[in-house]
Amino acid sequence: MRYALISKNLSLARLEAEAVRIGAGSVRKARLLNQVFCELNEEQAKALAEVPGLAVKPTKEYRADQVVAEEQSVETLSDVFYLLRSYFSPPLTGAGLTVAVLDSGIRKTHQSLRNKVVYEANFTDSPSADDVFGHGTQVAYMVAGGMHAEGEEAGVSPGASVFNIKVINDEGLGTDEDIVMGIDRVCDLAEEARRNGLWPTDDMYPNVMNLSLGGEDDGDEDNPVRAACRQASTEYGLDVIAAAGNTGPKMTTIMLPACEPEVIAVGAVETTGELVIWEKSSRGPTVQGETKPDFVIWGTSLEMASDKSDDGYLTKSGTSFAAPMLAGLTGLLWESGRRTYGEAWSFRWTEARQYAPYYSTKPADAPVKKDNAYGFGVPAMGTMLGQVAQAESPVQGAMETFPVLMMLGMMGVMIGGVS
């Protein structure tokens, strides 16, 4: 059986040595994340579990979940983001953002994704990094698909770039090992970009990881994928964004890794009408009692690039596509801030989350505080924008957040126009 050895305070070399000592087979290392994957029998696993400084975990299975929508797509959503980008002169496109899409592969030849995929790697048992299952193509499209033009079908940040990190195989399944090895590669690329002196806006400098996949939350903070996501965020400076899951409306259905406190968990609201939570959007709390999701955003009846042809489009629903919408929004917020305060200005949802009540909106009957259906709400501010932007804030250098608040305020105004 396949197991993960996770370091609590041991070096990678020591982890590998312990695996070899016990007679483990097919040893594979996640170099930057201090994890080792190997074949062990039950006796070997029990013996290694007695070694101080390491955790032994059987690998789990993950899925890329989605709902093929039967209803008509909401055609105005592309228009909303077109208007949002066009408010600025010149228009924003999300240029400078690179999102690592850890998913089922990407159909990079699709007309909306040509020249968007700047790096790819396959960590599954499938023969290529292509999207045979049909999921990663739609996720990538939502981040960076299409072009900025009136009437053009496009994702949120059409000027952004994408890494195609295949961790879900052609049957729609992945394992802890596949996902951790993919995360390790993204962290390695981020570290390499820094060593080479690249600006964070360089195509080969990953800024965000999107994981529109999930496994059952078992409440284990030592889970290999949770541990990897924590390190990616705290040690390598990557925003880690994950789909909350499509297993609502029951409580405590947030999936793994969205259940990890360091991960930005994204649920879905209906794309038409008021800010109604999508029935299937997973709810918190997590098994460990964490209030989740963190945010919600539109996630139903979305038209996206087809994985079957280079010019086709299809309609799907799911938190899988809400998560990359938030990831793509990073590019617009970041670009607007850089224009005002220079290239050194940065934006991370992980840091901005603590101020979310200032720029998020919910229905009037939803709890004011973060809750287990809406989280903080949809990232928007509406008519409160001016008051919040001018108010005394606990944030050091609060006025430097103004471009972010201005854009989120625009989204708040536009939400009512999506129909």
Side-chain angles (χ1 to χ4, degrees):
M1 185 173 175
R2 204 76 179 154
Y3 284 83
L5 309 184
I6 303 163
S7 173
K8 305 295 281 186
N9 54 31
L10 300 182
S11 67
L12 183 63
R14 176 71 187 282
L15 279 184
E16 185 179 15
E18 291 292 344
V20 171
R21 178 185 63 80
I22 210 73
S26 303
V27 177
R28 192 181 186 193
K29 299 177 290 184
R31 183 177 61 85
L32 295 185
L33 300 176
N34 271 5
Q35 295 190 31
V36 169
F37 295 89
C38 57
E39 294 287 338
L40 298 171
N41 59 36
E42 189 174 349
E43 291 73 22
Q44 291 170 323
K46 287 181 178 179
L48 275 177
E50 298 298 321
V51 177
L54 67 83
V56 181
K57 305 290 179 180
T59 58
K60 294 180 61 170
E61 188 174 83
Y62 296 74
R63 295 176 179 271
D65 195 18
Q66 58 194 332
V67 177
V68 178
E70 297 179 0
E71 63 270 31
Q72 288 286 325
S73 64
V74 179
E75 297 180 356
T76 56
L77 197 57
S78 286
D79 294 335
V80 166
F81 284 109
Y82 171 77
L83 291 171
L84 186 64
R85 296 189 299 264
S86 298
Y87 180 84
F88 295 81
S89 182
L92 300 172
T93 64
L97 174 70
T98 298
V99 176
V101 174
L102 282 75
D103 216 286
S104 63
I106 297 172
R107 188 183 184 98
K108 61 185 179 183
T109 56
H110 192 278
Q111 62 184 14
S112 68
L113 291 170
R114 288 172 190 156
N115 302 316
K116 304 290 179 81
V117 178
V118 296
Y119 180 87
E120 61 182 7
N122 178 16
F123 294 95
T124 73
D125 55 6
S126 299
S128 77
D130 295 339
D131 185 14
V132 174
F133 176 67
H135 189 268
T137 298
Q138 289 84 57
V139 171
Y141 170 87
M142 192 53 64
V143 173
M147 58 184 291
H148 178 77
E150 188 172 3
E152 177 79 11
E153 290 294 333
V156 181
S157 283
S161 298
V162 170
F163 285 0
N164 175 17
I165 309 294
K166 184 167 179 173
V167 298
I168 298 293
N169 68 17
D170 293 346
E171 285 70 53
L173 301 175
T175 67
D176 287 309
E177 182 172 356
D178 301 333
I179 298 167
V180 170
M181 296 306 295
I183 295 172
D184 192 73
R185 177 64 59 84
V186 178
C187 292
D188 190 32
L189 290 166
E191 192 71 6
E192 181 181 353
R194 293 189 188 99
R195 284 197 308 268
N196 292 337
L198 300 183
W199 280 91
T201 50
D202 191 277
D203 286 350
M204 290 305 298
Y205 195 129
N207 315 115
V208 177
M209 286 198 307
N210 188 94
L211 295 100
S212 290
L213 49 83
E216 185 178 356
D217 175 15
D218 57 8
D220 182 7
E221 64 182 18
D222 288 330
N223 169 271
V225 173
R226 283 186 60 176
C229 288
R230 278 199 303 274
Q231 283 186 265
S233 176
T234 60
E235 297 181 22
Y236 294 95
L238 293 158
D239 252 351
V240 183
I241 296 174
N246 303 332
T247 50
K250 291 182 180 180
M251 305 298 284
T252 314
T253 50
I254 298 289
M255 303 296 281
L256 191 163
C259 61
E260 164 59 37
E262 194 64 33
V263 171
I264 302 296
V266 185
V269 292
E270 297 280 352
T271 311
T272 56
E274 300 299 322
L275 291 179
V276 177
I277 195 74
W278 184 44
E279 182 183 14
K280 295 181 180 179
S281 184
S282 291
R283 272 53 162 197
T286 68
V287 172
Q288 291 182 301
E290 190 84 11
T291 301
K292 288 271 187 170
D294 295 293
F295 298 102
V296 290
I297 200 165
W298 304 305
T300 62
S301 304
L302 303 173
E303 188 171 29
M304 296 169 285
S306 171
D307 50 280
K308 305 302 181 188
S309 70
D310 288 343
D311 58 0
Y313 291 83
L314 44 72
T315 303
K316 290 182 180 180
S317 299
T319 61
S320 281
F321 314 116
M325 195 178 294
L326 191 78
L329 185 58
T330 307
L332 305 186
L333 299 173
W334 187 26
E335 185 180 5
S336 68
R338 295 198 316 271
R339 286 186 183 181
T340 305
Y341 299 105
E343 289 298 307
W345 192 86
S346 63
F347 175 83
R348 290 188 67 198
W349 289 106
T350 309
E351 297 169 352
R353 178 169 50 178
Q354 62 185 310
Y355 310 116
Y358 291 111
Y359 59 76
S360 300
T361 189
K362 297 181 183 182
D365 59 352
V368 175
K369 294 183 178 180
K370 185 182 183 185
D371 68 83
N372 287 307
Y374 288 90
F376 291 112
V378 176
M381 280 191 63
T383 57
M384 294 298 293
L385 170 65
Q387 297 175 22
V388 174
Q390 296 171 23
E392 186 175 341
S393 169
V395 187
Q396 184 176 5
M399 286 310 295
E400 293 193 2
T401 67
F402 182 75
V404 176
L405 299 179
M406 179 169 63
M407 180 171 295
L408 292 172
M410 288 178 60
M411 284 189 66
V413 173
M414 292 177 179
I415 284 171
V418 178
S419 59

